[in-house]
Each structure stands twice: as C-alpha cells, then as structure tokens.
Amino acid sequence: MTLTPYTKTLSAEDAAHVLRRTAFGATDAQIRALVGRRAADVAREALAFDQSLAPASPFDPATGATPGAMIQLTRAAWLYELTYGPHPLREKLALMWSNHFVIGTDKVRNQSALAGYLKVLRQHAATPDFTRLALAVAQTPAMLRYLDNDQNRKGKPNENFSRELMELFTTGIGHYTEQDVREGARALSGWTFTGGRGNKNFLEPQVFTFTARQHDAGRKTYLGRSGNLSPEDIVRIAATHPQTAVFVARKLHRAFLADTPDERAVQGSAETWRRTDGDVNAVLTELLSSAEFYASRARIIRSPVEFVVGALRTMGQPKLEPKALLNLTQTAGRMGQLLLQPDNVKGWDGGREWINDSTLLLRLQVAAALTLGKAAPTLDTAPSDLALLGSDRAPAALKSLNARQRTYLALVSPEFQLA
Amino acid sequence: MTDRRDFLKLSALAVAATSGMPGFLARAAAQAGGTKTLVVIQLTGGNDGLNTLIPYSNGAYYAARPTIAIPKKDVLTLTGDLGMHPALKPLMPLWDGGTFAWMENVGYPNPNRSHFASMAIWHTADPAQAQADGWIGRIAQTIGDPFCASNIGASTPQALRAADFSLPSIDGVDSFQLRLPQGLNTPFSQLLESPRSGEAAYLVQATQQMMKNTARVQENVKKYRAGATYPDTKFAGQLRDTARLIAAGVGQRVLYVSLGSFDTHAGQRAEQDELLSDLAGGLAAFHSDLERQGLADDVIVMGFSEFGRRVAENDSAGTDHGQGSVMFALGRGVRGGIHGSSPDLEDLADGDIRYRQDFRGVYASALTRWLGLDARVILNGDFTGPAWVA
C-alpha cells in the first residue's frame, strides 16, 4: 500500500507540525503563513531548494591553524547554516545523510575532504536518483579515507568499505554473504584519492582518483551478478538492490515520521522507491504530503542538534556571537551528537537513545543558557505556545511566568523536545 | 546502610505515587542489598585478542602476521606459551598477585562479523538477537531497582536497556546534578505532572527518574577520598568516577565503562598499542584506588570485545573483522590465571579462530558466583564456563 494523500488544508497545528519536521521549528508568523495551504504544495515548495548558503558566515574552515581548529570551524559553519541558512530542509536532509553515509573526524582530518563530503550531501539531499548520491559519496576522499578504501588494492583487499556499503548504506544486514563482502572489496580496489596526506597537509585539496594498476580486473560475483565488475558496478548493484528501497525508506521514516516507524508505511514508501527507481525526491514529496505524516505528531525525540537549532529558529534566529555557536557545537557533542563524528559507522541510533540522565541535564543547561543566561539573546516577545509546543494549549504551569522563564520551561518540556 | 534503606523506601513511595511506572520498578528492592559490585569494560570495535594475549611460542602466529605480530622479545611472559602485549605492563603486578585472569578463546555460535550485530549479541546475551533488552537490564529487573546498574559515559549501551526503561548514564559524577534557576522548581514539577502518553510520557518518566538519581548521587559522593592518581585520559577518568560511585555506597551492583575504538583495519600497531596502554593504566589505577579505599574485596572487573580479528594481517598492516577473542577479569575476587585453551592457529574457520568457550558461560559465573543471582533467568538458559570467580 502506498501512503494516503492528506487532502485537508493545513490547520495551525498542522503547519506547526510540518515546520517542526522540515525546518527544525519556526516562529509564530512563519507557521501562520502556512495555514490554509495544501499539504502537497507545502511539501513541493520545501523540497525545491537550491544550493545557496547563509550569507556572511563568520566561520571559514580554511583559516584553521591546526587540523583540530579546522574541524571545529567546519562544525560551527554547519551549525551556522543549520540555524541561519535559507534552506532548513536541505540541511535536515544533509544531517540525515551524514547519519546514513557516516564518516568521522577521528579519521577524516582534511579540510577539502570534509567540505567536499558536505557539498555532496547538500547537492544530492533530495536526489532524484539514489544511485547517484551513493556513487558521489563513495567517491569522496572523506569516505575513501574513513572506511579505508584508499588502502584497498589488487591482491591486498581491505574489506571495510565493501562490508559497510551493504550492511549500513544499501541493503542492510541479512541480504548478502561474506563472499559478497570479499568479492565487493576486490571490485572496489583502485578507488583512492591523491593529496592531503599527513597531519601537516590538512588544507591541501584531496582528489578522488582511480588507479587502474591497483584494481583487480578479474571476474567477480557480487549479489548474484558476475563479470569483470568495476567499483561503479558494485555501488550501482548495491544501491539498486530491492532491499535498499526498504532499508533507506525506513531511515527516511525515522527522520520524518516516527522514531519507531510503522512498517506498513515504510513498505509503502519502498514501493514508491522501486516504482521510481530510487527517486528520493518523489518518495519525500509523497511522504511529506501524506495523511500518515500529519497523523504522526510528537513521535520523534529531537536530536541534540535539532534541539539547539530548533530552539534558535523558534526564537526567530537571534544573532549569537561566533564563540557561542562554537560552544553550542561542542555542547551538542556532549549531549550525544557531535556533527560529523557519530559514535561509530552505524551512526546515531536516535529516538530514546538520545535520552539519559546526563543528556537531560545538559538539555536543561542549554535551554537556560539560551533564555536566562547573561549572554542569552534578547527576547522582546516570547515565542508563542504554537511555536514552542506545537499547539495553543499550554500547560497551566507555564502561566504567570515572565517571557524568559516561560520560554526556558517550554524548551525543557516534553512537548518541545518532541517533533 | 541506613542511606540505602531510606533510598529504597523513598523510591518505593515515589513509584507508588507515579502511574505508568514500569512494573519492575514497582516490585521494590528486597533483593537489592548485596554488597558486591561488577564493573564491565567494553572494548568497542573488535579488539585483536591475538595481539593482546600473545601465543608467542607459536610459529603460525608469526607466519600470519609478518608486520604486526608482537616480537617475542617484547612480550610480557605469563606462561611458557602465552604473554601479554607490552602496553599491558601496568597489569603485571596484578597477574603476579594472582588477581588477573584471561579467558581464552571466547565467542558464540554462528559468529557475526558486523560490529553492530555482534555487539547486540554480547549485549543481549542472545546469539539469535531475539531479545531487545540487555543482560544488565535484566539484572535490574531481577533486582527490582532502577538504580542498581549504571553506565559511566554519555550514551547508554544496549546491555543496560531494560524492558521499559533505560538505566542511568552518568557522564561525569561532578556534573551529575540538577540546579534549577530560582523560583522554577515548583513550575517545573507542575509541568511534569500533566498526564501524557507515548514519547511524551517517556520523557516525563525519564526526567523524574533523573531528578531522583542525581539527588541520590550528590548526597553521597562526597564520601570519596581519592586513593590513587589516575592517568589523564577519558577512560581513566571514567574509572575514577566508577570508584567514586562505589565508595559513595549508593547501591549500584553493576557499572559499565567503554573504551574504543579498536577497529584496526589499517596501521594496527600504533592504534592498538595506545588503546591497550590506556586500558592498562586506567585499570591499574582503579585497582590501587579500591585497595586503598578498603573496597578491593567487593569489586571485580570483567572485560570483553564484540569480536577478535582475522588471524592473518591484511595488507594495510591491520586486521579485518574476525570471530572469537579473549576476555579478561581482575580483582581480589578473581581466580587469576589462564582459563581455557588457546586457539589452534592451523585449524581456522574462514581465516578466523574457532571459539571454544561461550561468553554466556563467563557471564554466568559473574551472575551466580559474584552477584548471587540466578543466571538461568537472566541468560535464558544454563551456561557453564570457566571458574574465574574465586
């Protein structure tokens, strides 16, 4: 069964819901502007983003004095884009893909590699062809380095990328054999990059290259296909495998519908995926204009980055000092989500995994810093209940507090922490 | 012990007053009064067991690893055939004192080379991965106390997942406290009171539990006076926090600490050497701290990794994912020595060692002999293993 279109025009609560999911949240005025619109139009417009970036970002990773400083600036520049950029849905998708095609700054410490990786995620954020996204990511020096395919040479296979390509990026576990892992590694040999090696060359450009003499050109059998398979063939076969539709559709549902997705709805999206040959844009358009989407309020626990960016966007994107934004990227890390550095190659599990005693304490501290602290942005008018809580029915506990206190408590309420 | 009883009374009351609390939290804590603590160490990423406990008399080991084998001259000799990685030197006094044990060749049926599937198997103690909750979560259910096991670190591993609730994660004892701005205590409590369902109810429950847990820790943690200097690493700092919680006597029976990342596909020697050095330095300090606190009789440490690595090195001077590996344990309650036989490096399964001991047998000893629990209930079956708990 495919998803059911949502045919009613948007109510205020519908509008708040769609902006919480596609824009990390919004101000009262931004929400009210969508009331009465059709869900399909809202979805199409949100997905029609271009590649323009927030003007005047104070962060330029190329000015980093050390690899560590460069990485911090890269993270802060991303947080800036997430918070102030013109296309929050593009950034939300880039964040989701960075949690699917995982790399980590523990190994990737080159500026051009990180910039190139982010650029690919943004360019293909709502790709009409998943295979193109998979190929583009697989050829980034960031991925080649992170999963060691730059070490994968003829007669000297390194299986790391070959395994994770299937287990984590395409089919999911249970749909391939150890033999597929080995044969895939043989076929992927020769894909590497030039430049930027060594700690001192963290600003030197890294460029993808295919070294034919390091490629195993022999016959391989991979996921049931045989021949002199090239690296491109391997990515294409894995990306177009029927199970990939289900595996990646489930990720989309976890990002946009619910931490615990409804499997029938996932199958619906997978059906659309197969019918359109992996057109992620079509799958997302259908998903964001579906009755299932509008019926799924408060079923996603905001991640640390979504919590921080959501608070700032709900507060009307107040200007923060660059230092404050740098600190917020580190704090999001202590809450469990350091940008470009998930705990491991599987990425952040999300959902209830974001919540434990220590991370809850930090959420309270961050909310206090943004509303009550000395350096807190000015709050002339507090965000409305609709903006903060997704509905106009605020709990009685919030009445009789001043604007700052009210905003603070709303930010730490279960209602704000859910999207 | 008064504190402990008061706490249990308190939490029983709180449970009674809160609707929707998971059943196991309400079953109160008649069995929680044990005094022994188990510290579980997870080496994340698949630690290479063969370069940790080294079969230095075995030519096949050196033949399989021309670049990354530990040269015989560097091995810390334990027996005629086995020795430790040189980075583990800080643990030699424990070995010599008979309080350090190695469990050889541990694994499980139908090994899975995925980090995540394999980790889930160790965490759920279920090779079929049918169980979503963790073996330590089930300990908490059996004991009936939501505070009897904690993770030290930022994110809670699956091992500590209980049927309805995640057990606490304490990312730093000092920061584990709630200070609400003035005048907001009452509105905050009121905010949490209104009835909710679904994920909102979960968040309320987690927040209320956090408030209780933090209060409890802060009341007691001042009792600790450091008995050792810890190395300046995150892992050692977490072990120091572990010692502080044990000294505080807040009643935790299991504490969980992780050290990563052992996924050494390339350039293994440099990476693993540093990690093992971090491991040994932290554990040695932890043990002397407990000795000086007079707590060494009550605490044992058990360590594992989700799998070992391929016997043969790969061509990036690293190793790919393998099967069984070693486990270790230390403490005065541990019977030191080598438990089990070394893998046969000339009879391999797909390039990996064939495991001989099921890890659930190793868990079973900790559960029955150390924590005094019924291992069959927690592991869903009867498992026997080496007698590593004295």
Side-chain angles (χ1 to χ4, degrees):
Chain A
M1 102 173 179
T2 47
L3 304 178
T4 323
Y6 188 65
T7 47
K8 281 186 268 180
T9 57
L10 301 196
S11 67
E13 292 192 352
D14 289 338
H17 171 66
V18 69
L19 288 173
R20 287 162 91 88
R21 293 278 172 89
T22 60
F24 303 102
T27 62
D28 193 71
Q30 289 165 330
I31 296 168
R32 306 265 174 211
L34 292 189
V35 175
R37 304 279 317 277
R38 293 178 54 233
D41 296 337
V42 170
R44 259 194 300 276
E45 282 166 30
L47 283 163
F49 45 74
D50 59 31
Q51 295 302 308
S52 58
L53 299 176
S57 168
F59 304 107
D60 178 3
T63 60
T66 61
M70 177 277 292
I71 290 166
Q72 281 207 45
L73 289 169
T74 302
R75 286 195 231 290
W78 195 4
L79 190 71
Y80 189 87
E81 194 59 41
L82 283 154
T83 306
Y84 301 108
H87 302 301
L89 180 54
R90 184 193 69 206
E91 295 305 302
K92 161 120 181 174
L93 286 163
L95 186 60
M96 184 202 76
W97 292 125
S98 84
N99 194 32
H100 180 77
F101 295 107
V102 168
I103 61 129
T105 50
D106 54 337
K107 281 175 86 169
V108 183
R109 306 180 66 79
N110 176 278
Q111 198 257 318
S112 84
L114 291 170
Y117 169 78
L118 269 172
K119 191 170 176 188
V120 162
L121 299 190
R122 287 189 176 121
Q123 273 176 346
H124 300 266
T127 178
D129 181 1
F130 177 74
T131 301
R132 276 171 56 197
L133 167 61
L135 272 168
V137 179
Q139 294 186 347
T140 57
M143 184 58 78
L144 292 163
R145 167 81 184 95
Y146 184 65
L147 290 182
D148 300 311
N149 205 72
D150 61 327
Q151 308 271 337
N152 186 10
R153 291 186 271 272
K154 178 182 182 177
K156 305 176 173 182
N158 187 307
E159 295 173 3
N160 206 6
F161 180 72
S162 175
R163 176 184 305 280
E164 308 305 11
L165 172 66
M166 289 184 284
E167 178 176 345
L168 298 172
F169 301 163
T170 58
T171 68
I173 209 160
H175 305 290
Y176 56 88
T177 64
E178 288 297 317
Q179 188 65 16
D180 290 322
V181 173
R182 283 191 283 269
E183 296 277 286
R186 285 180 56 214
L188 287 159
S189 58
W191 263 11
T192 182
F193 61 85
T194 57
R197 302 222 182 237
N199 211 26
K200 285 189 187 136
N201 300 318
F202 66 97
L203 293 176
E204 189 180 299
Q206 291 187 329
V207 181
F208 165 76
T209 182
F210 174 62
T211 313
R213 67 174 187 284
Q214 301 288 11
H215 174 68
D216 181 342
R219 183 184 168 82
K220 308 112 189 165
T221 300
Y222 179 75
L223 293 173
R225 311 267 279 275
S226 296
N228 171 17
L229 302 173
S230 69
E232 284 86 352
D233 292 332
I234 294 304
V235 176
R236 208 171 284 126
I237 292 167
T240 54
H241 191 280
Q243 286 302 324
T244 301
V246 181
F247 189 69
V248 187
R250 189 177 294 121
K251 286 265 174 89
L252 297 176
H253 278 242
R254 284 175 61 183
F256 289 100
L257 270 163
D259 287 333
T260 314
D262 178 272
E263 280 304 314
R264 283 184 57 203
V266 169
Q267 292 297 339
S269 287
E271 215 173 277
T272 305
W273 179 294
R274 291 187 194 119
R275 194 182 64 241
T276 61
D277 294 328
D279 183 340
V280 173
N281 196 309
V283 172
L284 281 170
T285 307
E286 181 188 62
L287 191 155
L288 294 175
S289 19
S290 68
E292 288 82 354
F293 173 78
Y294 281 95
S296 72
R297 275 186 216 146
R299 290 186 57 196
I300 292 177
I301 296 177
R302 290 198 213 232
S303 76
V305 166
E306 288 170 333
F307 178 76
V308 168
V309 173
L312 291 170
R313 283 194 175 263
T314 304
M315 291 163 74
Q317 298 163 296
K319 276 276 163 273
L320 294 182
E321 291 296 316
K323 190 149 188 282
L325 279 162
L326 269 165
N327 283 342
L328 279 174
T329 59
Q330 298 300 317
T331 309
R334 287 165 56 218
M335 292 192 284
Q337 194 178 28
L338 190 59
L339 288 169
L340 298 166
Q341 181 62 62
D343 294 340
N344 56 53
V345 59
K346 181 165 57 117
W348 301 293
D349 285 332
R352 294 184 177 187
E353 301 300 312
W354 294 125
I355 301 300
N356 62 50
D357 292 351
S358 290
T359 58
L360 277 172
L361 281 168
L362 277 164
R363 284 177 181 233
L364 280 148
Q365 283 172 19
V366 170
L370 291 177
T371 52
L372 304 168
K374 279 193 201 114
T378 21
L379 255 188
D380 299 328
T381 39
S384 68
D385 293 335
L386 182 65
L388 283 164
L389 309 168
S391 90
D392 282 320
R393 298 181 305 277
L398 295 181
K399 310 225 161 90
S400 84
L401 298 174
N402 69 37
R404 286 170 178 280
Q405 291 174 325
R406 183 186 176 84
T407 308
Y408 165 67
L409 280 191
L411 291 180
V412 300
S413 71
E415 285 70 26
F416 179 80
Q417 296 200 52
L418 295 170
Chain B
M1 291 317 284
T2 334
D3 285 346
R4 175 75 196 154
R5 267 198 305 275
D6 286 350
F7 168 61
L8 294 173
K9 246 190 299 182
L10 208 87
S11 52
L13 273 178
V15 165
T18 314
S19 61
M21 264 295 184
F24 84 88
L25 301 186
R27 273 202 300 277
Q31 312 162 63
T35 56
K36 305 284 196 223
T37 305
L38 171 70
V39 176
V40 179
I41 308 281
Q42 168 178 320
L43 307 182
T44 309
N47 176 42
D48 181 6
L50 283 173
N51 267 20
T52 304
L53 181 62
I54 300 136
Y56 70 85
S57 66
N58 191 334
Y61 165 74
Y62 289 98
R65 301 180 160 204
T67 318
I68 64 158
I70 311 297
K72 201 167 171 175
K73 65 174 173 50
D74 296 340
V75 169
L76 305 169
T77 308
L78 302 182
T79 70
D81 295 313
L82 294 168
M84 296 199 293
H85 188 289
L88 298 177
K89 194 160 184 208
L91 299 174
M92 274 310 275
L94 288 162
W95 170 267
D96 293 336
T99 54
F100 195 100
W102 287 105
M103 272 67 84
E104 262 285 28
N105 218 344
V106 188
Y108 55 82
N110 304 315
N112 193 310
R113 286 193 190 80
S114 151
H115 290 296
F116 312 106
S118 190
M119 196 70 87
I121 288 165
W122 283 84
H123 283 199
T124 57
D126 178 11
Q129 294 180 74
Q131 308 213 46
D133 57 356
W135 72 284
I136 298 170
R138 295 199 291 276
I139 293 177
Q141 284 174 293
T142 305
I143 292 179
D145 178 354
F147 199 56
C148 71
S150 296
N151 175 57
I152 308 302
S155 52
T156 312
Q158 190 176 5
L160 280 84
R161 205 177 292 159
D164 304 295
F165 209 83
S166 275
L167 297 162
S169 265
I170 301 177
D171 190 22
V173 164
D174 290 321
S175 56
F176 196 66
Q177 51 185 312
L178 176 62
R179 289 204 202 106
L180 281 172
Q182 224 176 358
L184 292 183
N185 274 306
T186 310
F188 186 57
S189 305
Q190 284 170 352
L191 178 69
L192 296 178
E193 271 163 21
S194 35
R196 291 173 172 91
S197 59
E199 294 313 278
Y202 180 84
L203 284 170
V204 166
Q205 191 184 322
T207 306
Q208 285 168 338
Q209 193 63 56
M210 175 273 285
M211 292 165 79
K212 270 189 246 146
N213 293 344
T214 49
R216 186 64 193 163
V217 165
Q218 292 309 320
E219 270 167 42
N220 289 277
V221 80
K222 292 177 191 73
K223 291 177 190 165
Y224 171 82
R225 295 283 172 274
T229 311
Y230 285 81
D232 187 19
T233 67
K234 185 178 166 204
F235 175 69
Q238 291 179 324
L239 286 176
R240 183 172 170 271
D241 273 349
T242 305
R244 292 171 75 185
L245 287 167
I246 294 167
V250 286
Q252 280 152 326
R253 306 289 308 278
V254 185
L255 290 159
Y256 198 93
V257 186
S258 304
L259 172 65
S261 39
F262 285 87
D263 197 17
T264 49
H265 285 277
Q268 171 169 312
R269 272 308 301 269
E271 286 183 28
Q272 197 205 18
D273 289 12
E274 197 180 324
L275 287 165
L276 290 181
S277 157
D278 193 357
L279 175 73
L283 286 176
F286 179 65
H287 185 73
S288 17
D289 195 2
L290 294 178
E291 289 276 1
R292 299 217 184 102
Q293 311 267 347
L295 293 166
D297 286 333
D298 296 328
V299 183
I300 61 174
V301 173
M302 177 183 86
F304 78 99
S305 191
E306 73 264 32
F307 44 61
R309 321 238 8 133
R310 201 72 54 82
V311 172
E313 66 184 41
N314 66 21
D315 286 288
S316 330
T319 46
D320 293 318
H321 301 182
Q323 302 189 8
S325 188
V326 291
M327 289 180 73
F328 64 87
L330 65 97
R332 278 205 213 144
V334 166
R335 183 171 295 159
I338 310 278
H339 299 271
S341 56
S342 299
D344 181 347
L345 299 186
E346 277 146 52
D347 175 26
L348 300 177
D350 237 350
D352 297 338
I353 64 168
R354 292 180 193 278
Y355 87 102
R356 294 212 185 98
Q357 305 197 68
D358 191 306
F359 73 97
R360 291 168 293 181
V362 181
Y363 283 7
S365 303
L367 289 165
T368 33
R369 296 183 58 85
W370 189 251
L371 294 174
L373 299 168
D374 185 349
R376 279 169 306 185
V377 173
I378 288 158
L379 302 176
N380 285 306
D382 234 329
F383 298 96
T384 47
W388 62 276
V389 180

